[in-house]
Amino acid sequence: MTGPKPPAPPRFPKGGLRSFSGLLEDEAVERGWAFEGDLPSAHALNSVTFEGCVFRGVNLVGSVWRRVRLLDVRFERCDLSGAVWENVSLERVQVADSRLLGVQAAGTRLRQVRLSRVSMPLSVWVNADAAHLWLEGCDLGEAVMMGAKLGGTVMRGCQLPRTDLRGAQLDGADLRGCDLGGVRLGAAELQGVTIEPAQLLDLAHLLGVRVAALEG
């Protein structure tokens, strides 16, 4: 039996990426750029499309993006803590070794997205719509994913202390290898979810089961 297939990686221009040194403007389409270091003009964007781009070590703390489309994009060692995403869509996007602490991303659309070693506690993904989402080595402590569509999502080696998944659609999700201690969800959300036998102890109280060793 083969395991889940990771999302498709971003597609970049065959000729390589160009270093960006200008200013970003609203309602623009930016293709084939490598963004690095300080990027003040990226802190408030409206109706911008990034296609075939890489962000490396970019500080986007507190940035506000509205109606931004990310297509074939990779974030490396970026800090998006406190960012606000309104009507943002991601397709074939990778985020690695980055911070998304407290990101406000309610209703975000995610397709073929992979997050690796991302710190994202206290982030808000209420009613997010995800298909083929993959997370590995991520910290989702106290993240809020209520009502999110997460069917088929794969999480590996993730921390989910007090992560709120109530009302989320998780059918077909694979949570093996994750720390589920304190995760907030119910029996309805667990329908169709794949876990390991050892993880049942973390979920027993959610199912109304008391686990106790037989004495004597």
Side-chain angles (χ1 to χ4, degrees):
M1 179 178 177
T2 59
K5 185 178 179 180
R11 303 169 185 170
F12 300 116
K14 292 182 179 179
L17 302 175
R18 299 162 292 158
S19 296
F20 185 84
S21 60
L23 296 175
L24 294 171
E25 297 181 354
D26 292 341
E27 302 181 2
V29 178
E30 304 290 353
R31 292 190 178 95
W33 292 113
F35 302 99
E36 299 187 70
D38 292 332
L39 197 62
S41 59
H43 281 257
L45 294 175
N46 293 282
S47 303
V48 175
T49 295
F50 293 101
E51 185 174 340
C53 295
V54 172
F55 292 79
R56 295 192 183 102
V58 178
N59 181 356
L60 294 167
V61 173
S63 55
V64 179
W65 286 4
R66 296 185 173 93
R67 296 179 298 281
V68 169
R69 184 185 183 212
L70 302 168
L71 174 62
D72 295 313
V73 171
R74 180 174 173 85
F75 293 89
E76 303 172 358
R77 306 182 309 280
C78 293
D79 194 344
L80 292 91
S81 298
V84 176
W85 287 356
E86 296 181 7
N87 297 317
V88 171
S89 67
L90 296 80
E91 183 172 353
R92 289 193 300 275
V93 171
Q94 293 181 342
V95 184
D97 303 302
S98 298
R99 286 169 52 85
L100 275 71
L101 173 66
V103 164
Q104 303 291 310
T108 296
R109 182 179 184 272
L110 306 103
R111 297 289 184 272
Q112 301 277 342
V113 174
R114 185 170 187 168
L115 287 77
S116 304
R117 302 171 302 280
V118 174
S119 178
M120 47 195 296
L122 301 172
S123 55
V124 177
W125 304 85
V126 174
N127 296 325
D129 183 356
H132 213 159
L133 174 63
W134 186 293
L135 299 94
E136 51 197 355
C138 297
D139 180 1
L140 291 91
E142 298 189 67
V144 180
M145 298 182 168
M146 296 174 65
K149 296 179 180 178
L150 301 172
T153 292
V154 174
M155 297 188 188
R156 289 283 186 269
C158 294
Q159 305 296 314
L160 285 85
R162 296 178 298 282
T163 303
D164 198 335
L165 289 163
R166 291 174 294 180
Q169 299 177 25
L170 291 166
D171 188 34
D174 188 339
L175 307 182
R176 288 176 293 175
C178 294
D179 181 358
L180 303 179
V183 66
R184 298 175 180 175
L185 76 174
E189 288 83 23
L190 287 170
Q191 294 296 314
V193 174
T194 300
I195 61 172
E196 297 176 285
Q199 292 172 305
L200 286 171
L201 290 175
D202 291 327
L203 302 176
H205 68 286
L206 301 173
L207 305 174
V209 175
R210 186 170 66 90
V211 179
L214 181 62
E215 297 179 359

